[in-house]
Amino acid sequence: MHARITDIAAHDRQQVTIDGWLHNRRSSGKLHFLIVRDGSGFIQAVMSKAAVGDEAFTTADHLGQETSLSVTGTVRADKRARGGYELDVISIDVHGEAHDYPITPKEHGVDYLMDRRHLWIRSERQTAILRVRHEVIDAVRDFFNSRGFILCDTPIFTPAACEGTTTLFPVQYFDDTTAFLTQSGQLYNEANAMALGRVYAFGPTFRAEKSKTRRHLTEFWMVEPEMAYATLDDVIELAQGLITSVVARVLDRRRTELQVLERDTSKLEAITGPFPRITYDEAAALLKEKGLPFEYGTDLGGTDETVLSEHFDRPVCVTHYPAAVKAFYMKPDPVQSDKALCVDVLAPEGYGEIIGGGQRLDDLDLLVQRIKDHGLPQEAFEWYLDLRRYGTVPHGGFGMGIERCVAWICKLEHVRETIPYPRMLYRLYP
Ligand code: 4AD
Ligand code: MG
């Protein structure tokens, strides 16, 4: 019977075959200890000369790391073993030998590993991260699907900017047109929300950002909910609900992975609502108090976000930024019109912004003015202005970056490990 390592407990004392790769091998005279991985986990297969015979035993002498093989043996519970079980080998079948696998258990530099990302993702740590990523995405989908949101994806080729013209990737679109890779599906999402009430888009997003920070990719995945008849408060509630539900799901289903990553899970267990809320003004005062050289009126920088998010033990919602530093589509606060009805959610432990969103400008004349002020071509936005011409309503939503969310949940130094093939300023290979 074929079994996957993740299900091994169900096969105690049974004979099973595991199809996988050799992760590591240790030998002591009449015994080989083979650590086998199959993508779902790792198990130690114990091979004794007495059980498999001389020939098979000698073959195993020379197997290199990442040789593909099937091992057949009897599952045996062992408290000391990783995963609680070992396999007593009866036979092995080698499929593809590997010699001089370039990634050995010794330490390699990040560039070396990134150049071999297609192999690096086989490591225990990387597979743990990718499984957490999977869980985050699955939890996100379940969250919205179970709340009546309709998945309504938005285009990747777009004719205009959503988040500002400085970070657009142009693409030759047939002979005489330039298209741009989307920076956010939001504008289309707003149209979709007017059709379906509550929607979400989930796809890759592109930003030609020349920043080399631990938080920036040029291609990342963003989930974007949008709700008709919603205010800033509704948007904050939704963001909080999403984050707590994603964290709870990872804690529930990916304990093993978090353990591999040596994640302090008590920090994640503390992620319950309600999240603290502060205004931009309060954030500015806090930064001053902490002695940061923050200039009032500017956007929060990476260091500012780090410091703010270290100050709270759960995600903090920063609202009411100066409208001048935010995108053209933000609704101004009716009380202080120089502030926007927006929210950035900063993840704790220094991770900074994982969500950005708010209430949208729903007034036609004001929106036309904002498009002008931002130097954007009104023709490109006529369809978007139609949403204000035909039955406009208060509405809002946000975008959550999957990679930043995963980096925080796994407590990684850099977002580059949260996606199988990261795209960055100096990284387009493999
Ligand atoms: O704050 P941003 O730019 O917001 C928007 O794009 C809105 N239009 C979303 C909306 O309201 N529908 O981006 C949203 C999130 C950020 O909070 C961050 O998590 C992630 O996207 N993000 C990035 N992740 C990785 N690399 C980058 N370069 C990112 N830029 C933004
Ligand atoms: Mg933002």
Side-chain angles (χ1 to χ4, degrees):
M1 187 194 321
H2 285 257
R4 297 201 82 208
I5 295 168
T6 184
D7 306 323
I8 208 71
H11 298 282
D12 192 16
R13 283 182 289 219
Q14 292 172 6
Q15 183 178 316
V16 298
T17 299
I18 289 170
D19 298 324
W21 294 263
L22 182 64
H23 177 63
N24 206 347
R25 177 175 50 83
R26 205 157 51 76
S27 300
S28 74
K30 296 192 164 86
L31 288 174
H32 289 310
F33 299 96
L34 313 174
I35 306 287
V36 175
R37 59 166 200 93
D38 72 346
S40 80
F42 291 76
I43 194 166
Q44 174 158 281
V46 184
M47 191 172 179
S48 76
K49 197 181 250 182
V52 299
D54 281 359
E55 196 183 325
F57 194 81
T58 311
T59 314
D61 265 348
H62 306 286
L63 297 180
Q65 187 187 345
E66 289 305 315
T67 292
S68 51
L69 40 73
S70 296
V71 277
T72 301
T74 310
V75 179
R76 172 173 43 78
D78 185 333
K79 283 209 176 61
R80 296 157 309 167
R82 111 157 88 177
Y85 294 88
E86 289 192 344
L87 195 70
D88 289 324
V89 179
I90 296 164
S91 65
I92 73 169
D93 186 8
V94 173
H95 307 295
E97 287 197 27
H99 299 290
D100 306 317
Y101 186 68
I103 301 174
T104 56
K106 73 164 195 191
E107 289 272 312
H108 298 284
V110 171
D111 278 339
Y112 180 92
L113 291 168
M114 275 295 167
D115 284 340
R116 293 158 185 81
R117 183 66 179 162
H118 53 296
L119 301 176
W120 187 25
I121 52 171
R122 300 183 186 191
S123 76
E124 182 170 30
R125 190 181 145 79
Q126 297 305 315
T127 53
I129 296 169
L130 293 178
R131 278 198 214 94
V132 171
R133 177 189 173 94
H134 162 83
E135 203 62 54
V136 166
I137 293 174
D138 209 34
V140 161
R141 291 191 190 284
D142 280 353
F143 178 85
F144 290 115
N145 293 343
S146 66
R147 281 166 181 75
F149 284 73
I150 300 297
L151 176 69
C152 200
D153 285 316
T154 52
I156 288 172
F157 285 139
T158 59
C162 174
E163 290 302 313
T165 50
T166 54
T167 63
L168 287 170
F169 276 115
V171 185
Q172 182 72 43
Y173 196 73
F174 301 115
D175 291 343
D176 49 9
T177 306
T178 302
F180 303 97
L181 297 182
T182 185
Q183 299 165 309
S184 157
Q186 183 196 317
L187 307 186
Y188 296 94
N189 233 5
E190 289 182 46
N192 297 343
M194 298 308 138
L196 294 153
R198 293 176 158 212
V199 295
Y200 70 106
F202 199 165
T205 306
F206 306 86
R207 305 261 170 111
E209 279 174 308
K210 293 208 166 138
S211 27
K212 275 180 66 186
T213 80
R214 62 196 177 98
R215 295 174 181 154
H216 287 90
L217 296 169
T218 54
E219 176 181 316
F220 62 95
W221 285 68
M222 178 153 63
V223 60
E224 299 184 88
E226 191 73 26
M227 303 180 284
Y229 291 99
T231 62
L232 177 61
D233 270 341
D234 298 321
V235 170
I236 296 174
E237 285 283 315
L238 188 72
Q240 184 175 299
L242 175 67
I243 293 173
T244 49
S245 134
V246 165
V247 169
R249 169 78 162 261
V250 173
L251 281 170
D252 183 36
R253 301 202 188 165
R254 297 293 165 184
R255 286 263 169 197
T256 313
E257 284 77 5
L258 294 174
Q259 208 175 340
V260 167
L261 298 167
E262 295 173 356
R263 179 62 162 120
D264 176 358
T265 48
S266 70
K267 293 272 199 294
L268 296 176
E269 273 143 12
I271 307 304
T272 53
F275 294 166
R277 290 187 194 187
I278 57 171
T279 61
Y280 171 90
D281 284 7
E282 288 164 340
L286 194 59
L287 290 171
K288 279 256 157 65
E289 222 173 87
K290 290 182 181 281
L292 270 93
F294 180 70
E295 198 185 317
Y296 183 86
T298 60
D299 203 355
L300 298 179
T303 315
D304 305 320
E305 284 186 9
T306 304
V307 169
L308 284 175
S309 73
E310 274 166 352
H311 184 79
F312 298 92
D313 66 348
R314 61 195 73 194
V316 54
C317 305
V318 185
T319 63
H320 300 85
Y321 284 66
V325 304
K326 288 289 183 185
F328 75 94
Y329 53 70
M330 300 267 184
K331 187 177 171 79
D333 180 8
V335 186
Q336 318 163 258
S337 62
D338 60 329
K339 297 284 168 34
L341 292 180
C342 64
V343 60
D344 276 9
V345 184
L346 314 183
E349 299 177 77
Y351 277 87
E353 182 192 341
I354 55 169
I355 281 182
Q359 197 173 329
R360 319 306 187 187
L361 185 42
D362 48 3
D363 179 84
L364 178 63
D365 297 336
L366 221 49
L367 186 54
V368 169
Q369 190 54 50
R370 295 284 287 169
I371 288 173
K372 276 208 188 89
D373 294 347
H374 280 249
L376 297 166
Q378 188 177 323
E379 327 75 80
F381 294 93
E382 282 302 331
W383 69 268
Y384 183 63
L385 292 169
D386 273 352
L387 307 178
R388 278 71 181 167
R389 291 187 182 108
Y390 305 110
T392 189
V393 299
H395 64 287
F398 62 80
M400 181 173 83
I402 293 298
E403 292 74 17
R404 290 204 190 163
C405 183
V406 173
W408 161 53
I409 290 177
C410 295
K411 202 164 197 293
L412 307 179
E413 240 169 79
H414 197 295
V415 288
R416 66 189 160 214
E417 286 180 66
T418 64
I419 186 164
Y421 302 97
R423 296 292 171 243
M424 295 177 288
L425 183 52
Y426 298 115
R427 173 64 57 192
L428 195 56
Y429 176 92

